[in-house]
Amino acid sequence: QKEVEQDPGPLSVPEGAIVSLNCTYSNSAFQYFMWYRQYSRKGPELLMYTYSSGNKEDGRFTAQVDKSSKYISLFIRDSQPSDSATYLCAMKTSYDKVIFGPGTSLSVIP
Amino acid sequence: NAGVMQNPRHLVRRRGQEARLRCSPVKGHSHVYWYRQLPEEGLKFMVYLQKENIIDESGMPKERFSAEFPKEGPSILRIQQVVRGDSAAYFCASSPTPDGSSYNSPLHFGNGTRLTVT
């Protein structure tokens, strides 16, 4: 079993749709959870960060963590064509390096 | 402020040649990480370095791969005797602290070096 699993997609939605991106993990020691966005031919950039179970909102983005189920989600409201990218979940323990999921490719169609 | 600079952006090598990938971290960052990205496999950790020290190389292949981060100059990822399986995008990231996970010190990534082995 991989340490972090993520549906690779591709996911295609119409502009304005709500997008749900998900990751599951196996290591219960993970404490810090992140979402990175990666545009084509670019490096990943940090989008959201959280360290506790529950929801965290930032504009159109909401990150959700359920440690009991080892499940994290990223919701994008009112999706825009500029949101088209690959979304990588990432997580780490308090003492180890950041581990990334394989990424989900998202296309928002105008 | 310059971000993480990686060069070259694209590198083509024949089998058996050496590849040298360079990474200049964000100014003031003393923690450098190298990741390799293959299609549909995400970013795989390779090595974590501080100035003049390798802290964690658990993701580095045991042979042909080496990394350094000298006191002066960029971090270098060196691949000797490249094979076709080394073809990938190699990303460098830097952080001001060892944590690399918070908003105060997230990983700052470069735009990668795409290595093609022919």
Side-chain angles (χ1 to χ4, degrees):
Chain A
Q1 183 186 10
K2 291 183 180 178
E3 216 168 1
V4 180
E5 304 216 41
Q6 187 176 4
D7 186 344
L11 185 62
S12 184
V13 302
E15 183 175 354
I18 296 174
V19 177
S20 172
L21 304 166
N22 310 297
C23 282
T24 58
Y25 61 95
S26 57
N27 187 352
S28 57
F30 284 140
Q31 294 184 14
Y32 302 93
F33 303 92
M34 293 145 278
W35 285 93
Y36 279 78
R37 178 175 60 195
Q38 185 177 20
Y39 291 112
S40 181
R41 303 292 182 185
K42 297 289 187 182
E45 55 180 341
L46 181 66
L47 196 60
M48 295 285 284
Y49 157 81
T50 185
Y51 57 84
S52 59
S53 282
N55 293 351
K56 183 173 184 178
E57 190 174 317
D58 184 0
R60 296 184 296 109
F61 299 90
T62 299
Q64 188 177 80
V65 174
D66 182 346
K67 288 186 179 180
S68 62
S69 301
K70 298 192 184 70
Y71 188 90
I72 70 171
S73 299
L74 177 70
F75 299 97
I76 308 174
R77 291 184 299 281
D78 187 25
S79 55
Q80 303 294 308
S82 58
D83 295 328
S84 298
T86 296
Y87 290 80
L88 303 155
C89 62
M91 47 200 78
K92 75 185 295 290
T93 66
S94 61
Y95 52 84
D96 210 347
K97 64 267 187 186
V98 178
I99 304 296
F100 286 84
T104 298
S105 175
L106 171 67
S107 292
V108 180
I109 311 301
Chain B
N1 286 330
V4 175
M5 303 300 292
Q6 289 189 251
N7 64 81
R9 288 296 309 274
H10 300 276
L11 183 62
V12 180
R13 285 288 178 265
R14 291 199 185 97
R15 279 180 297 171
Q17 291 185 320
E18 178 180 289
R20 279 186 178 236
L21 288 62
R22 288 177 291 278
C23 168
S24 296
V26 173
K27 189 175 181 181
H29 286 191
S30 57
H31 304 268
V32 167
Y33 308 77
W34 284 93
Y35 285 81
R36 176 163 62 179
Q37 187 172 42
L38 291 164
E40 299 182 3
E41 289 191 18
L43 287 160
K44 298 296 184 187
F45 170 80
M46 299 182 74
V47 62
Y48 162 39
L49 310 105
Q50 294 178 20
K51 288 280 187 180
E52 300 183 281
N53 285 305
I54 297 174
I55 306 302
D56 181 352
E57 57 181 348
S58 58
M60 287 274 274
K62 293 289 184 276
E63 297 178 350
R64 302 187 297 108
F65 285 73
S66 63
E68 63 177 11
F69 188 18
K71 188 176 180 181
E72 301 290 338
S75 175
I76 306 287
L77 179 67
R78 182 181 177 208
I79 311 172
Q80 295 178 290
Q81 299 173 349
V82 296
V83 300
R84 288 217 172 107
D86 297 332
S87 296
Y90 291 83
F91 287 93
C92 170
S94 73
S95 173
T97 70
D99 190 50
S101 67
S102 71
Y103 275 136
N104 289 332
S105 61
L107 294 178
H108 297 257
F109 280 89
N111 286 326
T113 293
R114 277 152 187 86
L115 172 66
T116 302
V117 179
T118 62

